[in-house]
Amino acid sequence: MTTRRRVLLVRRAVALLVLLAIWEGMSVAGWADPFYAPPPSAVGQVLAELIAGGDLWPHLGATVIAAFAGLVVGLALGVTLGFAAALAPPVADLLEPVMILLNAIPRVILAPLFVIWLGIGLASKLALATILVAVLIFFAVYNGVREVDVRLVERVRTLGGGRRFLVREVYVPSVTSWVLGSFKVAVGFAFTGAVVGEFVASSRGLGYLLQFAQSTYNASLTIALIFVIMAVVLLLFACAERIERRLLRWRYL
Amino acid sequence: MLRVNGLAVGFGGEPILDGIDLNVAAGEFATLVGPSGSGKTSILRVVTGLLEPLRGTYELDVGPRDVGFLFQDDALLAWRTARQNVALGLRIRELPVSEADERAEHWLSALGLAGLGDRYPAQLSGGQRKRVAIAQILALRPRLLLMDEPFAALDAIVRTRITQELLEWVEREHLTVLLVTHDLEEAISASDVVHVLGHGPRAAIRASHRVPIPRPRLVLEARSHPSFGPLLRRLWDELAVDAPPEGSPAHGATA
């Protein structure tokens, strides 16, 4: 780690601590009503109980499973449809309007429909996470293939390469860099899909807990859960970044 | 080696090239000079099958696999190492990976890039990338080498050096070359024949000149040969005939 990076990290940590201290101080001074804005210590206590009591894990597990499955299925679907549309114009004619429409709307409005169709179990969360991710990845792949560097295509062709080499040496690698550019967003979307799906209707998951906390006016629990979700998403982002750096190592030199 | 008969090329509307007849004999280093935008490149693109001509035909005495095309830019696969880029053509020719890599390494060394095989294009200088692109083509042992202003982007020193190395290779291997350039000095110092392309639209070959400088040649010394100056002057005058005024839009999009 370079010195500059270390300094940056320290600065950020200090900023966060200062923020928490101010928040705590306002509570102690009586300027903030703990019912609406519980101090960090109270939130921390709820969080500790949640973890120590073992109540958190099954819910966290349910959400992570739904998000991860949605990410995988959404990626597979988006990549497949994106390639199909980019390489076969009739498929593009069929898919593009639907995808543009799905891209234009806030896709989470489909959540109630998925609950009606698929019930309150994993399937409806998976479907929501999938569609959030798939539309994003579809456009990444579709544009990636269409905007592939023509010079490279010509190069491979003049070297005698056919479709097989073009796909393997040019299309897949350049699309990979496009997809990875959207990968972190996709991870976030998958989590959004899972949590919102649970929020709408479910019997488990972080979204369900959030919904429960909200309906019981439990601000401490709500904030604690928000912190849990933030931590998990940050962790996933770090993983996504590692994958990105590994696959695009030729770019990070 | 290569015969082009009555070739016409255009992109909708009036053809930019029309009635191109061009003959490149086996073992000859031929250069096509012409103004930017005159469609010089299109001739190479037709011969390599990248472009469908409006009219006309071409004949090759060798198979398409014996033709190497060195492009103007040095676009390499950014996600592959120098070695993998050089090995690409060999692998397309279904050589096993280990053998392709071995030969690629040999060609990298031949072009002065020994030890740089594991680098990605982003880690190479412009001149090194150009050398990788040359190695990629030479590794396939072409008999006809087509080059589209391959050194335009290089600085003068690197450019002269690479031109010299390539010239030595061409002389040693008796390669047939068709080079497209707008650099008249480069054209004279490297080639046996210089063909002058007129201005578009409907550009045709206006004149052809033999270069009486003996081989083997040194690029730098060719310039001091007594015939260099007069020939340069003639080419210059021929290109200046009915040239559109500077700043007017060029016909055709490709240089």
Side-chain angles (χ1 to χ4, degrees):
Chain A
M1 201 185 294
T2 62
T3 321
R4 244 178 90 187
R5 227 180 115 73
R6 211 173 293 157
V7 169
L8 190 71
L9 276 178
V10 170
R11 267 198 208 153
R12 283 182 182 167
V14 169
L16 193 66
L17 285 176
V18 169
L19 201 70
L20 289 177
I22 292 173
W23 181 5
E24 185 80 38
M26 284 175 71
S27 219
V28 172
W31 294 340
D33 184 344
F35 182 74
Y36 293 106
S41 55
V43 173
Q45 204 182 338
V46 172
L47 197 57
E49 281 167 18
L50 212 55
I51 293 170
D55 292 333
L56 183 66
W57 307 120
H59 293 290
L60 181 61
T63 304
V64 170
I65 286 170
F68 188 74
L71 182 66
V72 171
V73 178
L75 272 172
L77 198 65
V79 167
T80 312
L81 295 180
F83 262 109
L87 299 177
V91 179
D93 293 341
L94 206 69
L95 277 180
E96 215 183 346
V98 180
M99 287 297 180
I100 287 174
L101 190 69
L102 281 176
N103 198 33
I105 60 168
R107 268 158 279 158
V108 290
I109 62 171
L110 297 171
L113 197 59
F114 287 145
V115 171
I116 294 172
W117 286 348
L118 302 168
I120 64 166
L122 175 67
S124 58
K125 283 82 206 161
L126 173 68
L128 190 62
T130 297
I131 199 155
L132 285 178
V133 172
V135 174
L136 175 79
I137 297 300
F138 169 83
F139 281 105
V141 173
Y142 185 48
N143 293 327
V145 173
R146 287 198 308 174
E147 285 174 31
V148 78
D149 191 342
V150 182
R151 300 174 309 169
L152 296 179
V153 173
E154 291 189 340
R155 200 117 336 172
V156 172
R157 277 182 58 196
T158 56
L159 290 173
R163 208 181 171 82
R164 185 165 64 96
F165 270 94
L166 277 179
V167 169
R168 198 172 74 196
E169 299 293 325
V170 181
Y171 285 109
V172 169
S174 49
V175 167
T176 303
S177 64
W178 276 75
V179 169
L180 287 177
S182 309
F183 191 54
K184 269 196 251 175
V185 183
V187 168
F189 273 19
F191 224 79
T192 306
V195 172
V196 171
E198 289 161 356
F199 201 84
V200 170
S202 65
S203 52
R204 55 201 299 214
L206 296 177
Y208 163 77
L209 275 187
L210 263 178
Q211 216 280 331
F212 168 79
Q214 179 219 305
S215 63
T216 52
Y217 268 73
N218 190 338
S220 306
L221 182 57
T222 307
I223 295 170
L225 287 169
I226 290 172
F227 276 129
V228 169
I229 292 171
M230 270 157 67
V232 172
V233 170
L234 285 179
L235 192 72
L236 291 175
F237 269 27
C239 293
E241 198 161 301
R242 286 209 114 159
I243 294 174
E244 194 181 322
R245 284 190 173 260
R246 175 97 194 97
L247 287 175
L248 297 183
R249 62 186 177 282
W250 49 270
R251 191 184 277 173
Y252 296 103
L253 297 167
Chain B
M1 176 64 80
L2 167 66
R3 284 170 301 282
V4 175
N5 309 306
L7 199 69
V9 178
F11 308 93
E14 208 170 1
I16 52 167
L17 296 176
D18 203 354
I20 299 285
D21 293 313
L22 185 67
N23 225 321
V24 182
E28 187 177 72
F29 194 128
T31 298
L32 187 64
V33 297
S36 296
S38 60
K40 307 184 287 292
T41 299
S42 304
I43 298 174
L44 299 185
R45 293 175 63 83
V46 166
V47 175
T48 44
L50 292 174
L51 182 65
E52 201 56 38
L54 295 175
R55 278 187 300 281
T57 56
Y58 65 92
E59 289 167 66
L60 283 167
D61 292 341
V62 290
R65 289 196 152 200
D66 291 318
V67 180
F69 188 3
L70 194 54
F71 285 81
Q72 181 170 12
D73 51 70
D74 50 23
L76 299 166
L77 300 174
W79 38 86
R80 298 277 184 259
T81 61
R83 184 185 305 106
Q84 290 171 324
N85 267 289
V86 175
L88 179 63
L90 297 166
R91 288 194 22 246
I92 287 174
R93 270 148 221 216
E94 316 216 312
L95 248 72
V97 177
S98 58
E99 201 184 331
D101 277 355
E102 211 170 289
R103 283 210 212 171
E105 198 58 56
H106 165 80
W107 282 98
L108 285 169
S109 303
L111 281 146
L113 297 175
L116 301 183
D118 289 320
R119 295 224 184 153
Y120 287 94
Q123 293 170 300
L124 299 171
S125 70
Q128 289 171 331
R129 279 202 293 273
K130 183 54 80 179
R131 285 169 189 270
V132 172
I134 296 172
Q136 186 182 55
I137 303 302
L138 292 187
L140 300 175
R141 309 302 299 261
R143 292 175 58 200
L144 172 62
L145 187 57
L146 306 172
M147 299 193 280
D148 178 17
E149 306 201 30
F151 311 125
L154 301 178
D155 68 69
I157 296 170
V158 177
R159 179 183 184 138
T160 307
R161 204 178 288 153
I162 296 187
T163 308
Q164 180 63 46
E165 285 173 30
L166 199 62
L167 204 59
E168 281 164 19
W169 178 258
V170 165
E171 285 168 356
R172 193 163 56 232
E173 300 288 311
H174 306 290
L175 288 188
T176 310
V177 179
L178 178 56
L179 166 72
V180 157
T181 183
H182 60 239
D183 184 330
L184 301 182
E185 298 189 20
E186 180 178 80
I188 300 171
S189 42
S191 46
D192 299 313
V193 188
V194 181
H195 302 282
V196 182
L197 195 65
H199 291 273
R202 293 186 182 280
I205 290 184
R206 178 172 282 171
S208 301
H209 302 279
R210 293 232 142 245
V211 180
I213 306 174
R215 288 196 186 277
R217 256 185 226 172
L218 290 173
V219 175
L220 282 175
E221 288 180 10
R223 288 166 205 223
S224 51
H225 191 273
S227 62
F228 188 92
L231 188 50
L232 180 62
R233 186 67 214 221
R234 271 192 80 178
L235 292 176
W236 188 260
D237 289 342
E238 275 164 5
L239 280 175
V241 176
D242 46 74
E246 265 174 48
S248 71
H251 292 277
T254 54

